[in-house]
Amino acid sequence: MNGTKESGNALGGVELSFIGCGVMAEAMIAGLLRQELVAPAQIVGSHPREARRAELGGRYGVRVFEGNREAVEALSAQGEGGDNARARSIVVLAVKPQRLGLVLGELKGALRADQLVLSIVAGARMETLAAELLHPAVARAMPNTPAQIGQGMTAWTATAEVNDEQAAQVRAMLAALGREMHVESERMIDMATALSATGPTYTFLVMEALVDAGVHMGFSRHVAQELVTQTMLGSVLFARESHKHPAELRNMVTSPGGTSAEAIYQMEKGSLRTVLSKAVWAAFQRAVALGKK
Ligand SMILES: NC(=O)c1ccc[n+]([C@@H]2O[C@H](COP(=O)([O-])OP(=O)(O)OC[C@H]3O[C@@H](n4cnc5c(N)ncnc54)[C@H](OP(=O)(O)O)[C@@H]3O)[C@@H](O)[C@H]2O)c1
């Protein structure tokens, strides 16, 4: 026993190497350790800065190397041939898109056939990753910022070379960030980029506008903030738990001649729905264009 969950744990005994230990990699490491899906000894990573390496080592008890290739080579050779044909290690690419070209060059040819690559790098196509790394088993995920508190929504897909066991490992890794959903294609990853990965932006803008509206009426900012935040949180939880269509929930609070009816009239008149739809569509087009670069 190493302090991790044994039964039904897809990551039992799997080693993980995080290339680029920034915000998202740390969120994943913290979630995996908190849920006891892996032990610190199963995790290695890389980071160019000494202070960050020491910080992560101290906080989580994981080994962090300076070199990216070193962090891949530190994974034990357990999966190679012999009686163990199972994929026993995962290399997570978590650098910024601008650094990816350099990192792929460093890692070229360093991966064993049985290893899995999981990339969370925005815009990076699986075909590019596979060609640059000379490695066909690649999964690609698109998380969002609430992942930093374990409340993320991550869409992911994978190449045909990723087997069922590896897919289960990807699910378990991403569940450490919140909820995960497999999608069939990279086009759907672009769609999720516009809807769920860019989603917090729409939510924060609406929150901000409502808080400003509260201040306009005369509430102090912190009071308006509390009223708006808890109302949004409660509404979302209510919608999820009731399993009702949003229009039905909205109708429930819309009395004839009441305040909701008045507010809805103004939102429709101001084309709020159309504006949101156009914003999501524009974000989707941008994701497609960035992916082609
Ligand atoms: N944050 C999100 O909500 C989110 C959502 C969807 C997708 N993503 C994707 O996730 C990836 C990571 O995002 P993040 O927010 O975690 O970014 P981040 O905090 O900047 O993490 C990247 C880390 O890589 C380090 N780094 C820089 N050059 C490196 C190199 N050559 N080799 C190895 N590591 C290097 C950076 O160090 P320095 O700090 O010293 O530069 C930084 O700590 C990005 O590709 C992003 O597109 C993020």
Side-chain angles (χ1 to χ4, degrees), residues 30 44 55 95 100-101 107 110 129 157 183 189 206 214 230 245 254 258 290:
V44 294
E55 182 182 48
V95 290
L100 185 65
L107 299 183
L129 298 171
T157 192
V183 295
I189 293 287
V206 170
Q230 179 55 25
H245 189 283
T254 310
L290 288 173

Side-chain angles (χ1 to χ4, degrees), residues 46-281:
S46 64
H47 202 278
R49 279 188 293 113
E50 162 65 33
R52 179 67 174 158
R53 292 197 295 276
E55 182 182 48
L56 291 167
R59 197 173 289 160
Y60 303 104
V62 299
R63 284 176 302 150
V64 187
F65 299 90
E66 184 174 3
N68 294 322
R69 204 171 169 108
E70 224 181 328
V72 170
E73 288 169 354
L75 296 166
S76 61
Q78 220 177 342
E80 269 175 350
D83 58 347
N84 192 353
R86 285 161 31 107
R88 306 306 298 165
S89 56
I90 303 174
V91 175
V92 182
L93 301 177
V95 290
K96 287 280 190 210
Q98 309 87 280
R99 299 261 183 257
L100 185 65
L102 178 79
V103 170
L104 293 177
E106 288 169 2
L107 299 183
K108 192 167 202 151
L111 282 106
R112 296 193 318 262
D114 62 290
Q115 290 176 320
L116 170 68
V117 172
L118 169 58
S119 167
I120 61 164
V121 182
R125 306 264 145 194
M126 295 191 295
E127 194 184 5
T128 310
L129 298 171
E132 294 294 319
L133 293 170
L134 306 175
H135 190 84
V138 176
R140 179 184 168 198
M142 179 50 69
N144 63 10
T145 48
Q148 289 169 39
I149 56 157
Q151 291 293 338
M153 180 69 239
T154 305
W156 65 277
T157 192
T159 58
E161 285 77 8
V162 172
N163 63 35
D164 289 350
E165 187 182 14
Q166 289 171 320
Q169 291 165 356
V170 172
R171 279 188 196 287
M173 295 278 293
L174 299 178
L177 297 175
R179 296 194 179 210
E180 52 75 31
M181 184 183 287
H182 174 259
V183 295
E184 286 159 23
S185 64
E186 289 197 286
R187 181 180 163 81
M188 287 186 179
I189 293 287
D190 289 334
M191 288 157 59
T193 301
L195 200 58
S196 52
T198 312
T201 302
Y202 315 132
T203 310
F204 295 144
L205 189 75
V206 170
M207 279 177 80
E208 192 188 336
L210 288 174
V211 171
D212 284 347
V215 172
H216 188 202
M217 285 190 298
F219 278 126
S220 69
R221 191 156 285 279
H222 82 272
V223 169
Q225 182 110 23
E226 175 66 7
L227 290 171
V228 168
T229 305
Q230 179 55 25
T231 300
M232 290 190 82
L233 183 64
S235 304
V236 169
L237 292 174
F238 187 33
R240 169 160 270 170
E241 282 179 26
S242 69
H243 299 291
K244 286 191 163 65
H245 189 283
E248 200 181 337
L249 292 169
R250 194 162 48 76
N251 285 346
M252 280 159 56
V253 290
T254 310
S255 358
T259 55
S260 288
E262 198 63 37
I264 288 168
Y265 174 74
Q266 289 300 335
M267 286 190 285
E268 298 291 20
K269 198 173 162 202
S271 302
L272 183 63
R273 265 175 221 264
T274 315
V275 168
L276 284 174
S277 183
K278 280 184 174 171
V280 173
W281 185 258

Side-chain angles (χ1 to χ4, degrees), residues 15-31:
E15 293 183 2
L16 311 171
S17 180
F18 289 86
I19 306 302
C21 292
V23 172
M24 289 308 265
E26 182 172 358
M28 213 182 271
I29 292 169

